[in-house]
Amino acid sequence: AAGVIQSPRHLIKEKRETATLKCYPIPRHDTVYWYQQGPGQDPQFLISFYEKMQSDKGSIPDRFSAQQFSDYHSELNMSSLELGDSALYFCASSYRTDLRGYTFGSGTRLTVV
Amino acid sequence: AQKVTQAQTEISVVEKEDVTLDCVYETRDTTYYLFWYKQPPSGELVFLIRRNSFDEQNEISGRYSWNFQKSTSSFNFTITASQVVDSAVYFCALGTSYGKLTFGQGTILTVHP
């Protein structure tokens, strides 16, 4: 079965650079969620989109923005990167907010040097 | 607001011992889902179980079992006859109608040979 695809798997950026993370949800899933997991921390919700509209927002820094496209894939754009942005970034998808099919991608490991 | 508490930060056992990971949650929602995820050193979140708030049946899957008690807002996870491959970080999570998940702090399980 198709899973949630995240790219890239690993990313190394320098401070003050920009990074773009991509998430391709499971077919027929129309809702995407982004989470950030710092070292030794639990995943923290950043933002979600349903039908290309932002549906919920967590502790997402102003330097970060995200959007969902017509094919339901989503991109998380991170600007003016800081060392503290180094983390695992997970994307999850579902059909509407039905948690029965909630599925996480394998994550993108971002390292800021 | 949703809250998940995993009382044990770290647990260390010897192979073949049974181990129980505790999870207590708080929510005002009457409909919610509870999850357990395993996170090995490679970083991905491996789905273990999902239980909705109306289903208090305990579940057993191989060496894994889950005890859901709504009266105490707990959803505990037991591994019987632990193995070295069970070593990982385990997260309990709570999902409500908006779709985002709230995670506990995680329990680091180390199984020694």
Side-chain angles (χ1 to χ4, degrees), chain A residues 35-44 83-90 109-110, chain B residues 39 91 105:
Chain A
Y35 292 81
Q36 177 192 57
Q37 185 182 21
Q41 305 294 314
D42 55 284
Q44 294 287 318
L83 295 178
D85 296 328
S86 296
L88 260 172
Y89 290 84
F90 289 102
R109 189 176 295 276
L110 172 66
Chain B
Q39 188 173 46
F91 288 99
Q105 306 93 314

Coordinates of all heavy atoms in Angstrom, one line a residue, chain A residues 35-44 83-90 109-110, chain B residues 39 91 105:
Chain A
Y35 N 4.7 18.1 11.8 CA 5.2 18.0 13.1 C 6.7 18.2 13.1 O 7.4 17.8 12.2 CB 4.9 16.6 13.7 CG 3.5 16.3 14.0 CD1 2.6 15.9 12.9 CD2 2.9 16.4 15.2 CE1 1.3 15.6 13.1 CE2 1.5 16.2 15.4 CZ 0.8 15.7 14.4 OH -0.6 15.4 14.6
Q36 N 7.2 18.8 14.2 CA 8.6 19.0 14.4 C 9.0 18.2 15.7 O 8.4 18.4 16.7 CB 8.9 20.5 14.6 CG 10.4 20.8 14.9 CD 10.6 22.2 15.3 OE1 10.0 22.7 16.3 NE2 11.4 23.0 14.6
Q37 N 10.1 17.4 15.6 CA 10.6 16.7 16.7 C 12.1 17.0 17.0 O 13.0 16.6 16.2 CB 10.5 15.2 16.5 CG 10.9 14.4 17.8 CD 10.8 12.9 17.6 OE1 10.8 12.4 16.5 NE2 10.7 12.2 18.7
G38 N 12.3 17.8 18.0 CA 13.7 18.2 18.3 C 14.4 17.0 19.0 O 13.7 16.1 19.4
P39 N 15.7 17.1 19.1 CA 16.5 16.0 19.8 C 16.0 15.7 21.2 O 15.9 16.6 22.0 CB 17.9 16.5 19.8 CG 17.9 17.6 18.7 CD 16.6 18.2 18.7
G40 N 15.6 14.4 21.4 CA 15.2 14.0 22.8 C 13.8 14.5 23.1 O 13.4 14.4 24.3
Q41 N 13.1 15.1 22.2 CA 11.7 15.6 22.4 C 10.6 14.8 21.8 O 10.9 13.9 21.0 CB 11.6 17.1 21.9 CG 12.7 18.0 22.4 CD 12.6 18.3 23.8 OE1 11.5 18.5 24.3 NE2 13.7 18.2 24.6
D42 N 9.4 15.1 22.1 CA 8.3 14.4 21.4 C 7.9 15.3 20.2 O 8.2 16.5 20.2 CB 7.1 14.2 22.4 CG 6.7 15.5 23.0 OD1 7.4 16.0 23.9 OD2 5.6 16.1 22.6
P43 N 7.2 14.7 19.2 CA 6.8 15.5 18.1 C 5.8 16.5 18.5 O 4.9 16.3 19.2 CB 6.1 14.4 17.2 CG 6.8 13.1 17.6 CD 7.0 13.2 19.1
Q44 N 6.0 17.7 18.0 CA 5.1 18.9 18.2 C 4.4 19.3 17.0 O 5.0 19.5 15.9 CB 5.9 20.0 18.8 CG 6.6 19.8 20.1 CD 5.6 19.8 21.3 OE1 4.7 20.6 21.3 NE2 5.7 18.8 22.2
L83 N 20.2 27.3 14.3 CA 20.7 26.0 14.7 C 19.6 25.2 15.4 O 19.5 24.0 15.3 CB 21.9 26.2 15.7 CG 23.1 26.8 15.1 CD1 24.2 27.0 16.2 CD2 23.7 26.0 14.0
G84 N 18.7 25.9 16.1 CA 17.6 25.3 16.8 C 16.5 24.7 15.9 O 15.6 24.0 16.5
D85 N 16.6 24.9 14.7 CA 15.6 24.3 13.7 C 16.0 22.9 13.4 O 15.3 22.2 12.7 CB 15.5 25.1 12.4 CG 15.0 26.5 12.7 OD1 14.1 26.7 13.6 OD2 15.4 27.5 12.0
S86 N 17.2 22.5 13.8 CA 17.7 21.1 13.5 C 16.7 20.1 14.2 O 16.6 20.2 15.5 CB 19.1 20.9 14.0 OG 20.0 21.7 13.3
A87 N 16.1 19.3 13.5 CA 15.1 18.4 14.0 C 14.6 17.4 13.0 O 15.0 17.5 11.8 CB 13.8 19.2 14.5
L88 N 13.8 16.5 13.4 CA 13.1 15.6 12.5 C 11.7 16.3 12.2 O 11.0 16.7 13.1 CB 12.8 14.2 13.2 CG 13.7 13.1 12.9 CD1 13.4 11.9 13.8 CD2 13.6 12.7 11.4
Y89 N 11.4 16.3 10.9 CA 10.1 16.9 10.5 C 9.3 15.8 9.9 O 9.7 15.2 8.9 CB 10.3 18.1 9.5 CG 10.9 19.2 10.2 CD1 12.3 19.3 10.4 CD2 10.2 20.3 10.7 CE1 12.9 20.4 11.0 CE2 10.7 21.4 11.4 CZ 12.1 21.4 11.5 OH 12.7 22.5 12.2
F90 N 8.1 15.6 10.6 CA 7.2 14.5 10.1 C 6.0 15.2 9.4 O 5.5 16.2 9.9 CB 6.7 13.7 11.3 CG 7.8 12.8 11.8 CD1 8.4 13.1 13.0 CD2 8.1 11.6 11.2 CE1 9.4 12.3 13.6 CE2 9.0 10.7 11.7 CZ 9.7 11.1 12.9
R109 N 15.1 14.6 8.2 CA 16.0 15.0 9.2 C 16.8 16.2 8.7 O 17.6 16.2 7.8 CB 17.0 13.9 9.6 CG 17.8 14.2 10.8 CD 18.8 13.1 11.2 NE 18.0 11.9 11.6 CZ 17.6 11.7 12.9 NH1 17.8 12.7 13.8 NH2 16.9 10.6 13.2
L110 N 16.5 17.4 9.3 CA 17.1 18.6 8.9 C 18.2 19.0 9.9 O 18.0 19.0 11.1 CB 16.1 19.8 8.9 CG 16.7 21.2 8.7 CD1 17.3 21.3 7.4 CD2 15.6 22.3 9.0
Chain B
Q39 N 9.5 4.4 18.1 CA 10.5 5.1 17.4 C 11.9 4.5 17.6 O 12.5 4.7 18.6 CB 10.5 6.6 17.7 CG 11.4 7.4 16.8 CD 11.3 8.9 17.0 OE1 11.3 9.4 18.2 NE2 11.1 9.7 16.0
F91 N 6.0 6.2 22.2 CA 5.2 7.4 22.4 C 3.8 7.0 22.5 O 3.3 6.2 21.6 CB 5.4 8.4 21.3 CG 6.7 9.1 21.3 CD1 7.7 8.7 20.4 CD2 6.9 10.2 22.1 CE1 8.9 9.4 20.4 CE2 8.1 10.9 22.1 CZ 9.1 10.5 21.3
Q105 N 5.7 12.5 26.4 CA 7.1 12.9 26.4 C 8.0 11.7 25.9 O 9.2 11.9 25.5 CB 7.6 13.3 27.8 CG 6.8 14.4 28.4 CD 5.7 13.9 29.3 OE1 5.0 13.0 28.9 NE2 5.6 14.5 30.4

